[in-house]
Amino acid sequence: LQSRTVKAGELLFAEGDEADCAYVIESGEIEVTMRIEGIMRCVAVLGAGELVGDMGLVDDEPRSASAIATADSRLTIISRADLASKLAVADPLLRLLLEVSVKRLRAKLESLRAATPIPINTAAAVEVARLEGELKAGINSGQMQLYVQPIVDMRSHQIIGFESLVRWMHPITGLVRPDFFIPLAERSGLIVPLGRWVLREACHAALRFDREQNHAKMAGKSGFISVNVSAGQFHDPEFIPELASILRETKLNPERLQLEITESILSDTSAAKRWIAGCKKLGVRIALDDFGTGYSSLSYLHEFDIDTLKIDQSFVRRILEDKRSEKIIITIIQLSQALGLEIVAEGIETQPMFDRLAALGCHYGQGYLIARPSPIDAYFAAR
Ligand code: C2E
Ligand code: CA
Ligand code: CA
Ligand code: CA
C-alpha cells in the first residue's frame, strides 16, 4: 500500500471531488467539513487509526465533504483497485453489509445537510472554533506571509523604513486580511506564536533590505522595520525574553526595530511603563499607533518613553474636508515637537493630502500614494 503525507493546513480532498481512494490515518489529525447552508461546518475530527474518504470508494459517488489536515499527518492510501480486488473475493454477505452501511452513512450526512439551522450562537461558535483550527494550522504550515509598506521622509522622498503587515494565504479562500484574523488570533491566544513569527520574519526582512535594497533610496542608511504588537502579546510574560533572543539570534541592530503599540495598552499605566522600559533596555524603538483614536492618554503621554507617534488614518483621510481633523493633526504635530517625538502620518492616499501634511510640518508618511503593502519579494522585483 502507498502512503501520503499532508502538512497541517493542506487540503486532502474537497467536496464534489471524484473519489478515487480512501485513507487510513497513521498519525496526525484530519478535519472533515461540509458546506451546510452556505457555511463550512466541521462534521468530524479524525485521528490515528481512523478511516477518511471511504464512502466514495464504496459507492462511487463524489466526495460529500472536504478534508483538511489540522496537523501534519501520515496516511495510507487505499485505492479503488485495492478495494475492488478485495471485494471481488469477499463474502457476498459482507459486501452487501458494507454497501448498506455506506448508504446509511450517506443518508445521515444528507439529513445533516438538510437539518434545521443550528441556533445562531452555536453556529457562530462552531464557525469560530473551525476558523481557529484553520488559523493554527496556517501558522504552523507556512501560510502566513509578511508584507511590507515603506515609510518615507516627506521632504526628501527617501524611504526611511518599513512597516510589516502580516497576511494569511489560505489554501481555499486565498488572501485573508489581518483585520479579520488578528482579532481571531487575539481571542484564541494564537497571537503569541503568530506574533513571534512576525517578529522573527521582520528582523530577517530588515537584514535582507540591507543586503538588497538600493541604499541611495534609503537615505544611505539602514532602514528600520516596524512591527505591530497587540494586547495579547503585551500581556505575554515571555514577550521580552523572546524579543531578546530573536535579536540575539538574528544579530539585527535593535535600533532598527520599532514596535507599534496602541493607546489601549497604556491604560494600565504601570504595566505599560515596565513593558516599554523592558523593550527600550534592549534598544528597540517604540511607536504609538493609531494615535488620536483613544484620547485618554494624551494628557500624560510625556510619562511614556515613546519615540514616534503615528497619526491615525481617520484624521489623515479627512484632513482636506474637515477643519477639526486638521486641527487635531496640528495639535499632534505641536505636541510631538514639544515632546521631541517623531511623527508618521498614515493612510496618505492623494497628492493634496501629502502636500497639506508636509506643509503642516509632518516629516514622515506612509500610504497608498507612496506604495501599497506588498510581499517583500515583490518589492525587490519592482526595483
Ligand atoms: P495598522 O497597524 O493601523 O496598519 C495600517 C493599515 O492601513 C494596514 O492595513 C495598511 O495596509 C493600511 N493602509 C496603508 N496605507 C493605506 C492607505 O493609504 N489607505 C488605506 N485606506 N489604508 C492604508 P492591514 O495591512 O490590512 O492591517 C490592518 C491592521 O491589522 C493593522 O492596522 C494592524 O492593527 C493589524 N496588523 C497587521 N499586521 C499585524 C501583525 O503582524 N501583528 C499584529 N498584532 N497586528 C497586525
Ligand atoms: Ca501599525
Ligand atoms: Ca495605524
Ligand atoms: Ca489600525
Side-chain angles (χ1 to χ4, degrees):
L1 289 175
Q2 280 189 297
S3 66
R4 175 176 172 188
T5 55
V6 279
K7 291 243 169 280
E10 201 179 318
L11 187 69
L12 190 59
F13 55 76
E15 210 170 321
D17 280 357
E18 200 187 306
D20 48 6
C21 67
Y23 303 93
V24 180
I25 305 170
E26 301 296 344
S27 65
E29 192 182 69
I30 305 288
E31 200 183 57
V32 181
T33 58
M34 269 175 95
R35 189 172 295 279
I36 300 172
E37 309 211 329
I39 297 172
M40 293 297 285
R41 297 248 163 80
C42 174
V43 292
V45 180
L46 303 172
E50 288 181 287
L51 209 55
V52 61
D54 45 310
M55 283 192 304
L57 203 53
V58 176
D59 67 4
D60 208 6
E61 292 287 317
R63 302 284 192 203
S64 55
S66 304
I68 294 176
T70 40
D72 292 354
S73 305
R74 207 157 47 79
L75 312 162
T76 297
I77 301 173
I78 305 170
S79 69
R80 187 178 297 286
D82 289 332
L83 189 70
S85 66
K86 294 278 184 331
L87 278 180
V89 297
D91 185 297
L93 185 64
L94 202 65
R95 204 158 59 211
L96 182 68
L97 208 64
L98 188 65
E99 277 162 12
V100 167
S101 40
V102 163
K103 247 190 212 121
R104 201 175 288 152
L105 196 57
R106 237 186 228 289
K108 204 166 152 193
L109 280 179
E110 280 310 318
S111 73
L112 194 70
R113 203 194 295 273
T116 45
I118 308 171
I120 189 67
N121 290 340
T122 318
V126 169
E127 184 65 5
V128 166
R130 187 186 66 78
L131 285 167
E132 282 175 9
E134 286 196 0
L135 180 59
K136 185 175 182 184
I139 294 167
N140 294 332
S141 67
Q143 288 170 19
M144 298 297 145
Q145 202 178 337
L146 198 74
Y147 273 43
V148 292
Q149 186 180 33
I151 298 169
V152 299
D153 184 319
M154 295 177 78
R155 297 156 295 186
S156 66
H157 295 261
Q158 282 177 315
I159 295 171
I160 57 158
F162 295 84
E163 176 173 6
S164 67
L165 296 158
V166 67
R167 299 286 182 266
W168 180 12
M169 300 299 166
H170 189 280
I172 302 164
T173 325
L175 190 146
V176 185
R177 294 285 298 256
D179 282 335
F180 173 77
F181 67 86
I182 294 289
L184 192 69
E186 276 280 320
R187 48 173 292 166
S188 60
L190 288 170
I191 192 68
V192 169
L194 175 60
R196 265 175 213 168
W197 180 85
V198 170
L199 205 53
R200 184 171 283 114
E201 206 64 16
C203 290
H204 284 298
L207 294 170
R208 197 174 153 196
F209 274 114
D210 232 15
R211 286 196 304 272
E212 300 184 41
Q213 181 59 244
N214 180 340
H215 274 247
K217 243 169 80 184
M218 283 265 254
K221 284 187 290 194
S222 298
F224 65 87
I225 189 97
S226 204
V227 176
N228 292 287
V229 174
S230 49
Q233 297 169 271
F234 170 80
H235 290 114
D236 170 23
E238 288 304 309
F239 181 86
I240 290 174
E242 274 288 331
L243 174 64
S245 84
I246 290 171
L247 286 168
R248 242 190 341 263
E249 182 191 304
T250 58
K251 301 193 178 67
L252 179 73
N253 176 356
E255 285 170 23
R256 295 181 54 202
L257 180 63
Q258 175 169 276
L259 302 178
E260 298 191 6
I261 56 174
T262 54
E263 285 169 83
S264 61
I265 282 173
L266 304 184
S267 60
D268 186 349
T269 313
S270 56
K273 279 183 187 166
R274 267 197 314 270
W275 190 89
I276 293 171
C279 293
K280 302 236 63 172
K281 209 170 152 199
L282 294 173
V284 307
R285 298 160 51 82
I286 304 288
L288 203 49
D289 199 4
D290 301 344
F291 189 69
T293 55
Y295 46 86
S296 57
S297 63
L298 233 158
S299 54
Y300 50 95
L301 194 63
H302 66 276
E303 291 183 27
F304 298 97
D305 193 1
I306 283 162
D307 303 281
T308 306
L309 295 182
K310 297 190 78 174
I311 305 177
D312 192 63
Q313 310 192 5
S314 56
F315 304 117
V316 173
R317 197 176 307 129
R318 294 195 300 259
I319 188 171
L320 298 174
E321 294 106 58
D322 172 12
K323 276 278 160 227
R324 272 195 61 226
S325 293
E326 189 185 40
K327 273 230 174 72
I328 290 169
I329 290 180
I330 292 169
T331 309
I332 294 174
I333 291 171
Q334 284 168 349
L335 186 71
S336 74
Q337 285 164 348
L339 297 176
L341 302 175
E342 283 179 356
I343 287 267
V344 177
E346 280 194 311
I348 305 175
E349 292 183 353
T350 65
Q351 194 62 49
M353 280 182 192
F354 184 103
D355 295 341
R356 188 81 198 103
L357 285 159
L360 290 177
C362 181
H363 289 170
Y364 305 110
Q366 176 184 359
Y368 293 169
L369 175 72
I370 300 148
R372 285 184 176 258
S374 60
I376 180 165
D377 291 326
Y379 209 84
F380 292 123
R383 175 158 67 96

